[in-house]
Amino acid sequence: MAAGAAIGNIGGMMNLAIADHHPVKPGARDSALADYDCVRRAIAFISQKWKAQPTIEAIADAAGLTPDELHHLFRRWAGLTPKAFMQALTLDHAKSLLRDSASVLDAALASGLSGPGRLHDLFVTHEAMSPGEWKAGGAGLGLRYGFHPSPFGTAVIIASDRGLAGLAFADPGEEQAALVDLQQRWPRAVCVPDQDTTAPLAQRIFDPAQWRAEQPLRVVLIGTDFEVRVWETLLKIPLGKAVCYSDIAANISLPKASRAVGAAVGKNPISFVVPCHRALGKGGALTGYHWGLTRKQAMIGWEAGRLGAE
DNA sequence: TCCAACCGACGAC
DNA sequence: GTCGTCGGTTGGA
């Protein structure tokens, strides 16, 4: 009920955050959302027409840009040329991400606490909270939420005092639905708007320059035992790698549970930070994504750009 | 606590 | 596409 009252405020808050379907103006301030809006249209067009080998001109047209603007957009957004971006969305690329899928997880485990190897590009410490724990301790705990522009559309961030609890994405006009979808995962929690709390989280999560091992991002995983194990496994997948569902299943010693793993991956409440977009079907197919396959493609393309920047 | 129905972000053909 | 399979989740008892 407190949450209901809070939801009423969103409309007003969102007005400043949402850039509508306007083409990107050079030098426009706060261009993250407008950028993603174009990227989204480009991806949609590419995945629809990929067989016909669309030209840069055609893609730019579909995104509402000139070819030159498209080029600058992708450079700014992911550090990638349009051509390299298209390359990053091919099945071949997905397969190369999947290379050594099984051993990626074992290697991460082995390097563990001592090794120099990074587990996750965005350094994360996590603790798990079972539904039971949540219920028992939930009385005194509150959640704070905020909306923030991100490279993948408007990000909805939910934080508890124990750390980041939820991260969802929304296309223009769907912000409220995204918040409700996220909130419903913890029906007993009291959720209040608090941009001041969530803004620093957003800034840090989406700016790779701020990913630091010394000060890992605190995250709290709230789910069933099985779900938490699956999400912990996802956290082991480094940037530039992907794993398939059956390898996750094998990694948690339930080799036949790949299907259940898929369901659990789909319930991941902390999109992007818990990299469920790095879980692919065995053959490299993207299968599904709670926040839309287009967004999964966007993340994969964006990360391809990060890889080159390392 | 126990059990049966339910239901896929699987995977093989 | 479609189909067999299977285990986690859910909800009622």
Side-chain angles (χ1 to χ4, degrees), chain A residues 97-112:
Chain A
L97 295 179
L98 270 179
R99 200 163 40 83
D100 312 321
S101 169
S103 59
V104 158
L105 297 173
D106 296 335
L109 189 63
S111 68

Side-chain angles (χ1 to χ4, degrees), chain A residues 162-187:
Chain A
R162 290 166 73 173
L164 178 69
L167 172 51
F169 293 98
D171 288 333
E174 296 171 2
E175 294 81 9
Q176 292 196 29
L179 175 65
V180 169
D181 174 68
L182 201 52
Q183 279 178 328
Q184 275 173 349
R185 295 153 190 258
W186 313 293

Side-chain angles (χ1 to χ4, degrees), chain A residues 59-191:
Chain A
I59 298 166
D61 195 51
L65 304 169
T66 68
D68 206 42
E69 286 171 329
L70 185 75
H71 184 83
H72 287 301
L73 166 66
F74 276 111
R75 291 301 300 265
R76 180 171 65 237
W77 181 73
L80 242 40
T81 64
K83 189 176 165 148
F85 179 76
M86 280 183 65
Q87 188 62 39
L89 298 188
T90 61
L91 188 58
D92 274 356
H93 183 256
K95 284 179 178 164
S96 78
L97 295 179
L98 270 179
R99 200 163 40 83
D100 312 321
S101 169
S103 59
V104 158
L105 297 173
D106 296 335
L109 189 63
S111 68
L113 300 167
S114 56
R118 337 178 317 180
L119 291 190
H120 185 273
D121 40 292
L122 195 164
F123 298 91
V124 164
T125 58
H126 71 274
E127 57 181 306
M129 192 186 281
S130 69
E133 268 185 288
W134 177 257
K135 200 172 161 188
L141 287 173
L143 297 179
R144 300 162 182 281
Y145 72 82
F147 296 88
H148 305 277
S150 88
F152 313 108
T154 298
V156 189
I157 293 186
I158 292 190
S160 79
D161 50 8
R162 290 166 73 173
L164 178 69
L167 172 51
F169 293 98
D171 288 333
E174 296 171 2
E175 294 81 9
Q176 292 196 29
L179 175 65
V180 169
D181 174 68
L182 201 52
Q183 279 178 328
Q184 275 173 349
R185 295 153 190 258
W186 313 293
R188 297 179 56 99
V190 177
C191 212

